[in-house]
Amino acid sequence: MEEELKCPVCGSLFREPIILPCSHNVCLPCARTIAVQTPESEQHLPALLHPRGPAPPAAASGPGPGPGAAAGAAASLDAECAAGGGDHADKLSLHSETDSGYGSYTPGLKSPNGVRVLPLVPAPPGAAAAAPPRGGGAASSSLTCPQCHRSASLDQRGLRGFQRNRLLEAIVQRYQQGRAAAAAKCQLCDRSPPEPAAVLCEQCEVLYCAACQLRCHPARGPFAKHRLAPPPAPPGAPGGGGEAGGKGAGGGRKGPTCAEHDLENYSMYCVSCRSPVCYQCLEDGRHGKHDVKALGAMWKQHKAQLSQALNGVSDKAKEAKEFLVQLKNLLQQIQENGLDYEACLVAQCDALVDALTRQKAKLLTKVTKEREHKLKVVWDQINHCTLKLRQSTGLMEYCLEVIKENDPSGFLQISDALIKRVQVSQEQWVKGALEPKVSAEFDLTLDSEPLLHSIHQLDFIQMKCRVPPVPLLQLEKCCTRNNSVTLAWRMPPLSHNPVEGYILELDDGDGGQFREVYVGKETLCTIDGLHFNSTYNARVKAFNSSGVGPYSKTVVLQTSDVAWFTFDPSSAHRDIVLSNDNQTATCNSYDDRVVLGTATFSKGVHYWELHVDRYDNHPDPAFGIARINVVKDMMLGKDDKAWAMYVDNNRSWFMHCNSHTNRTEGGVSKGATVGVLLDLNKHNLTFYINGQQQGPPAFENVEGVFMPALSLNRNVQVTLHTGLEVPQNVKQPKLPSN
């Protein structure tokens, strides 16, 4: 049905359709573009058919239409009818605010549906002066139907002489409403037809009926913070959006129209031009190759960007307020400490009155200057920080008011500038801007022990260096992955004692003694090779030339209970080929080559599987464990650094130190799965093929640090699967054949 409701010229749904004498319909705006001059009058085109702009001089001085006709060339159709000399424009009705020329079926440009439209052609010189008088038949024009190609002459009323098809217009409107109503159905209903939508989740972007909302989107858990809104209303309903987006969330008020197309509202946003556009702008082709997105989506995206930037500024403003309180407390401390130092200095100088009279004034002057310097620095910081805070607060208040704006296009016109201003404001709070430049302590002390002849040498000396304070563990950055832990720490603020390095200590995972695992200047450290499924305690302390500071608080870290790992490309033989994020392995050589896993095991029970993706010509791949220094250019298990099971298409053998034992029925083929169970609590190794255990535990007394290992040649390809639970139900092994 939709195709029958489309205009044959523009290809869109009918807008203001008019009925031609042949009973076909076209849009009124499209009719203006395809109106055709008759061949008899084509050579006498009036000046009104010229492109918009000032009329040629001949139009003002000729005997034909006067200045009123030139004015009518830039006005709408009604203005042309009212112009004094616009007789030809009245008859042709070819020029209005939305016109771009006159149409013809002669070769020219094509519309989407194949209707040819002739672009503007300059009029011959003196055409306006040679225009026939009012009532002459040479200036007539006609309209050709784009479907049956029958022509219809235009009278003095022009296109308005054709009757408007109100019935078709109403059918198009009802079709649009029905399409919008069909879109507002529940998207999760299993009923036919679906129930009407009751709510729209703005985060999920899914429509729910009442029953599906209770079943699929309960107001708890992760859905508790989702915002549910009423479903979109059909066009023409209060608050509903029509085809042009006339009404929206702004209480039914009409949105702003396009600056270039007065009758169209903004409906899309051009990301390349950073401006809202209407659908007519898109049809013009200027934005054809641009990235165009929905206006509402970009509105929400820019709001989210601005809100995110405001969060950063808000956090800095909060820190600035706390910093101001800290600076004001620092003022009081400097005042009090300064007075204390002055009193101490006066007491010492009074004990040496005779010898210290000349030095007393100098020392007091130094203390006063130091105090004034500290006070001046702090006041400068207060004034500077207050100014920045006032600017940031004002910007925040303005941005919060802008965010309340419900007009998407208006908001998007200023959102980019506001986002940049907020980002610049955030960048003003550079690192160190919220730290005091001076300390409340006066690093001065007076030595009153020298002999009398050394009094004239008396001066302030710096305070002795103190040991560093307690480091602060940054718990939000401390984490575990597999059998490794990462710890981060920092020194407390206002700590002016120098730090030369840190000592990180870790226990053995069983509550034993702490041991040093790192000594250095970094404040972030990762320790690998720990036990799986173990709880470790960690602490850190700082040191300098004066000694070692106190320990930090102890942090408890739990390693993973199962291992997640891949094949290790750095330690694999050069003929090994890895793919699938290092989870699939094969080989370029016909000889067996070894590849190890990235995990190391020294404690606990661990299980992993290898799926045989390709198995050609009956090779003997080997699966097992090895130490880091295993030989990698021969089959796994031929040296004393590996424990393995090698298998062909019929049976398997265990091998260590090139010794073959425990032949067991059951081979592999394409699609088979080999499981490896390493139990370091019982110190044994067990193998499985397709869920069936291959004999008793392959090796006893397995102790030390091991890595998953595999040897294969180019006839085999396997994929590694990790993070698996230890198998509980195990099939009994087959008895070996003779």
Side-chain angles (χ1 to χ4, degrees):
M1 176 179 179
E2 184 175 354
E3 294 299 323
E4 285 74 11
L5 299 180
K6 289 184 178 180
C7 174
V9 178
C10 64
S12 301
L13 295 177
F14 281 108
R15 293 177 297 157
E16 302 181 41
I18 59 175
I19 304 176
L20 301 180
C22 60
S23 300
H24 290 128
N25 297 271
V26 293
C27 298
L28 179 60
C30 298
R32 296 192 181 105
T33 64
I34 64 172
V36 182
Q37 292 180 324
T38 58
E40 294 80 9
S41 61
E42 192 166 335
Q43 58 184 345
H44 301 295
L45 289 177
L48 294 181
L49 296 182
H50 292 178
R52 295 186 185 184
S61 58
S76 64
L77 183 63
D78 295 336
E80 291 176 349
C81 295
D87 300 312
H88 301 291
D90 291 343
K91 295 179 179 180
L92 297 174
S93 299
L94 295 177
H95 210 293
S96 67
E97 294 180 353
T98 58
D99 288 337
S100 59
Y102 62 94
S104 173
Y105 280 96
T106 56
L109 301 180
K110 283 190 175 182
S111 73
N113 282 6
V115 179
R116 300 173 183 245
V117 179
L118 185 66
L120 287 173
V121 180
R134 182 179 180 92
S140 62
S141 61
S142 63
L143 181 67
T144 302
C145 175
Q147 291 183 287
C148 64
H149 303 294
R150 295 183 181 179
S151 298
S153 300
L154 302 180
D155 57 14
Q156 294 182 353
R157 293 175 298 173
L159 293 175
R160 301 202 179 273
F162 293 114
Q163 185 177 1
R164 187 166 173 177
N165 196 337
R166 302 288 183 180
L167 177 59
L168 178 58
E169 193 170 0
I171 293 175
V172 171
Q173 184 177 5
R174 291 189 60 184
Y175 173 74
Q176 292 174 338
Q177 292 176 353
R179 186 170 55 179
K185 298 289 186 179
C186 177
Q187 296 175 294
L188 296 179
C189 266
D190 53 4
R191 302 181 182 90
S192 181
E195 294 290 331
V199 292
L200 168 67
C201 178
E202 295 185 350
Q203 283 71 30
C204 304
E205 296 185 355
V206 175
L207 291 165
Y208 299 92
C209 65
C212 292
Q213 179 196 351
L214 295 176
R215 184 177 70 254
C216 305
H217 199 288
R220 61 179 182 273
F223 298 114
K225 297 183 179 180
H226 286 202
R227 185 174 183 272
L228 300 178
E243 185 177 356
K247 294 184 180 180
R253 64 191 178 111
K254 187 175 181 181
T257 57
C258 178
E260 300 183 7
H261 307 93
D262 296 340
L263 300 179
E264 304 296 338
N265 289 343
Y266 290 122
S267 59
M268 303 295 289
Y269 181 80
C270 180
V271 179
S272 303
C273 301
R274 294 182 177 271
S275 63
V277 295
C278 68
Y279 83 95
Q280 191 68 36
C281 295
L282 301 179
E283 291 184 355
D284 290 345
R286 288 175 296 171
H287 304 273
K289 297 183 179 180
H290 293 181
D291 185 10
V292 180
K293 296 185 177 180
L295 187 67
M298 292 302 298
W299 176 35
K300 292 181 180 179
Q301 179 181 341
H302 280 230
K303 276 197 173 186
Q305 292 177 359
L306 181 58
S307 299
Q308 185 177 3
L310 281 178
N311 289 336
V313 177
S314 177
D315 293 340
K316 293 298 182 181
K318 182 179 179 180
E319 294 178 11
K321 291 179 181 179
E322 296 174 354
F323 180 60
L324 284 176
V325 175
Q326 180 182 345
L327 290 178
K328 292 179 181 179
N329 293 334
L330 187 63
L331 285 176
Q332 183 65 24
Q333 294 176 9
I334 293 175
Q335 292 284 3
E336 295 175 357
N337 293 341
L339 294 175
D340 292 342
Y341 271 90
E342 286 182 358
C344 181
L345 180 62
V346 170
Q348 291 179 349
C349 290
D350 287 344
L352 304 170
V353 173
D354 294 338
L356 300 178
T357 302
R358 292 185 299 271
Q359 293 294 107
K360 180 179 178 180
K362 295 181 181 179
L363 297 176
L364 283 174
T365 301
K366 288 187 176 182
V367 173
T368 303
K369 286 184 178 180
E370 182 69 11
R371 183 185 64 188
E372 291 177 352
H373 171 70
K374 290 178 178 287
L375 293 174
K376 183 178 182 302
V377 171
V378 175
W379 273 115
D380 290 343
Q381 278 193 279
I382 290 177
N383 295 334
H384 184 66
C385 186
T386 302
L387 178 59
K388 283 187 176 181
L389 180 61
R390 186 181 299 114
Q391 294 174 350
S392 298
T393 303
L395 180 58
M396 288 173 56
E397 294 175 352
Y398 177 69
C399 291
L400 291 175
E401 290 298 323
V402 172
I403 289 180
K404 298 177 182 177
E405 174 63 39
N406 291 326
D407 180 12
S409 59
F411 175 83
L412 291 174
Q413 290 175 354
I414 62 174
S415 60
D416 284 327
L418 284 180
I419 292 173
K420 292 180 180 178
R421 287 183 58 188
V422 171
Q423 292 173 346
V424 171
S425 176
Q426 184 177 0
E427 293 172 357
Q428 291 179 353
W429 300 98
V430 297
K431 183 177 181 181
L434 300 180
E435 297 179 1
K437 296 182 179 179
V438 296
S439 171
E441 300 291 334
F442 280 66
D443 300 336
L444 306 170
T445 187
L446 186 64
D447 187 1
S448 59
E449 298 297 330
L451 300 174
L452 186 60
H453 66 273
S454 301
I455 291 179
H456 295 286
Q457 304 294 328
L458 190 64
D459 200 352
F460 288 111
I461 62 174
Q462 296 293 324
M463 293 180 62
K464 291 183 179 180
C465 181
R466 299 176 180 176
V467 297
V470 179
L472 301 178
L473 287 169
Q474 296 181 277
L475 300 181
E476 68 277 5
K477 295 183 180 180
C478 297
C479 61
T480 63
R481 176 178 174 81
N482 273 346
N483 60 337
S484 66
V485 297
T486 299
L487 295 104
W489 59 88
R490 63 179 177 86
M491 296 306 294
L494 300 179
S495 175
H496 302 283
N497 296 329
V499 176
E500 297 181 5
Y502 302 92
I503 300 174
L504 177 62
E505 296 182 356
L506 203 70
D507 68 359
D508 59 358
D510 287 326
Q513 296 294 323
F514 282 91
R515 67 187 189 281
E516 292 184 2
V517 294
Y518 171 75
V519 178
K521 296 182 179 181
E522 299 296 330
T523 59
L524 182 70
C525 181
T526 298
I527 303 98
D528 298 317
L530 302 177
H531 299 310
F532 283 89
N533 196 22
S534 300
T535 302
Y536 287 89
N537 297 294
R539 63 187 184 183
V540 64
K541 59 184 177 180
F543 65 87
N544 58 17
S545 58
S546 297
V548 179
Y551 285 107
S552 68
K553 294 182 179 180
T554 301
V555 61
V556 180
L557 299 168
Q558 174 73 37
T559 55
S560 300
D561 53 350
V562 295
W564 297 86
F565 59 91
T566 62
F567 292 119
D568 185 9
S570 62
S571 63
H573 192 277
R574 62 177 178 273
D575 291 335
I576 293 293
V577 178
L578 300 179
S579 60
N580 188 25
D581 293 333
N582 296 331
Q583 292 178 338
T584 300
T586 186
C587 183
N588 286 329
S589 173
Y590 284 106
D591 297 324
D592 290 309
R593 300 293 187 245
V594 174
V595 57
L596 302 177
T598 55
T600 56
F601 305 124
S602 59
K603 179 183 176 183
V605 182
H606 310 282
Y607 178 75
W608 63 95
E609 292 181 348
L610 299 106
H611 184 267
V612 180
D613 303 326
R614 179 168 52 81
Y615 187 82
D616 303 327
N617 302 324
H618 309 300
D620 299 329
F623 311 87
I625 58 175
R627 302 195 190 278
I628 186 65
N629 56 346
V630 66
V631 179
K632 299 184 177 66
D633 58 358
M634 62 183 181
M635 181 183 287
L636 192 69
K638 287 192 174 184
D639 63 354
D640 62 347
K641 303 296 191 298
W643 293 256
M645 176 190 72
Y646 73 94
V647 58
D648 60 14
N649 61 325
N650 291 321
R651 57 186 65 84
S652 64
W653 295 264
F654 300 154
M655 186 165 62
H656 174 62
C657 292
N658 205 22
S659 174
H660 308 254
T661 60
N662 291 65
R663 187 183 73 172
T664 307
E665 291 296 327
V668 297
S669 60
K670 180 180 178 182
T673 299
V674 177
V676 182
L677 175 61
L678 176 62
D679 189 345
L680 292 174
N681 295 336
K682 297 180 180 179
H683 307 289
N684 59 36
L685 180 65
T686 308
F687 296 97
Y688 302 86
I689 296 180
N690 295 327
Q692 177 176 304
Q693 181 176 334
Q694 296 299 103
F699 303 101
E700 303 288 346
N701 301 321
V702 179
E703 296 183 1
V705 179
F706 305 97
M707 306 175 72
L710 164 72
S711 70
L712 72 171
N713 63 16
R714 66 183 304 165
N715 291 318
V716 184
Q717 176 176 302
V718 299
T719 296
L720 177 66
H721 298 278
T722 62
L724 305 176
E725 296 291 339
V726 177
Q728 301 298 328
N729 298 323
V730 179
K731 298 179 182 178
Q732 295 299 321
K734 295 181 180 179
L735 295 176
S737 61
N738 294 330

